[in-house]
Amino acid sequence: MKKISLGALMLVLGGAAYGASIDHIQNYTPEYNANPAQQGAINAGTSAYYNPAGLMHIENGTYFQVGAQAAMGKEEMKYDGETYDSDLMDVIPNISVVHKNDNRAWYWTFGGLAGGGELEYKDGVAGVALIEDQLKPGVGAAASAAATAKFYQGGFNAAKDQGATDAQANLAGLKAVSDNKATIDAIGKNASDNTNVTDQYAEGSNKYIQSTLGRAWFLTEKLSMSAAGRVVYGSRELKGDIKGELAGSPLEANIDSERTAWGYGGVFGLNYRATERLNLGMRYDTKINMNFEADASEKQVEIPVPGQDPMKIGFSSIYGQYADGVKSRRDLPAILALGASYKVTDRWTTFAGGNYYFNKDAKMDDDYTHGEYDNGWEVSLGSEYWVSSKIAWMLGANYAVTGADEETYSDIEYALDSFMLGTGIKYRQDENTEWVVAVSHYWYDSADGTHYSKEYGMDNARYDKQITAVGVSLTKRFN
């Protein structure tokens, strides 16, 4: 197996959110992949997620919707001429139930709200090379310092045994160090050369699951409103194990950590049916406070330090939020969503929408994250054209600015700005049954993280990723 430096101690494989924000996702339903501009749509299959107030304009009945989508892609980082990449595979299910009558609509949704899938870096990550550049010289210097102290003390003690004064013994100790300089240098080099990880394993995932229960009702003939309560469970896992040698001695470190939190919030919406062709929608998701606490078992590596207690290094040395018992807030920011749909003809409807993420008002592992998060935003366009009475073709695009400062980029998180293009087919099997098949692809703006240069004075790593999502859903209406 390819040798990896002690820097693998810092390797953390965390799930990466894809789409428009830092932790938030927006592909709550498969149809989003074909038309991301759902904020102003009136749609029995998606409005419970994106425009719940608009549910007052669907036909009366009880609707059951179920969907699943798979996200596949590659995330990569480049450092010092080397490329480190990871394959992404994530499956996102969703379920919704809507009951609508003349006076009100009740709705319930369940599915992913934030996070992403597991990542696996087969050849390590950029941080491995970075820490190797720093740690190996440090281990060598520590070994040289220990050897220097040993030779000095030997020369000093030998002189004292022969009746020398302290000043004479000091000179004897310094001479012993000078006479053995080549040996001391060799000891340091040997310790550095023999600090390696010969086997390592790490995995991680970030998952946020939500359940939302709400109601919509008319305020006027054209204006409707919705309100809902939401509960969220978040889990951020890290497991890792490394084996190797530290200055020739056996090295082993491992961690099994899960950070969990419950959060609660609200979802409020307005929908204005301006004309038979033009519809306007608004939704506000409140900030959800997530007080994560880590439950972990960990074994760290102890590095001898002359004259001091051993220095302990492990996974949590860099990512302290994963240490056992550590509590840290990582909130889901509030979202303001605005959108419109316009029926150009009886067969063709166009859509436009946008989201604004209030990242600056949320705590996001502030004690453990470098850099700052600015507010983020995204804009979307969509089109739906009914080729026949049973088949519609959908097309959509999205551009997103996450608000993540480049100093926040690291091996576990790099929320890059993105452009998404998607398409799909809607098939109306009968008047009560509708299928959706959709696919989308995300292109990300590669960028250099600045943390390495600011924190360590080293070269920066460059980050990039591409993700493709495919989804299928079924919406069934019961009278």
Side-chain angles (χ1 to χ4, degrees), residues 6 134-145 187-188 191-192 194-195 246-247 303:
L6 186 61
Q134 292 187 309
L135 187 60
K136 289 174 76 71
V139 171
S144 295
I187 290 173
S192 176
N194 287 283
T195 297
L246 176 66
I303 300 177

Side-chain angles (χ1 to χ4, degrees), residues 233-286:
Y233 177 74
S235 171
R236 305 176 72 91
E237 295 184 2
L238 168 65
K239 296 179 182 179
D241 182 82
I242 65 168
K243 293 181 176 66
E245 56 182 355
L246 176 66
S249 299
L251 173 154
E252 183 175 2
N254 55 63
I255 192 171
D256 186 347
S257 178
E258 182 180 16
R259 302 173 62 205
T260 57
W262 287 92
Y264 308 91
V267 181
F268 303 94
L270 291 171
N271 188 87
Y272 182 66
R273 191 71 177 268
T275 68
E276 287 298 314
R277 294 188 178 275
L278 176 64
N279 188 74
L280 305 174
M282 184 277 286
R283 191 189 82 253
Y284 179 76
D285 299 353
T286 66

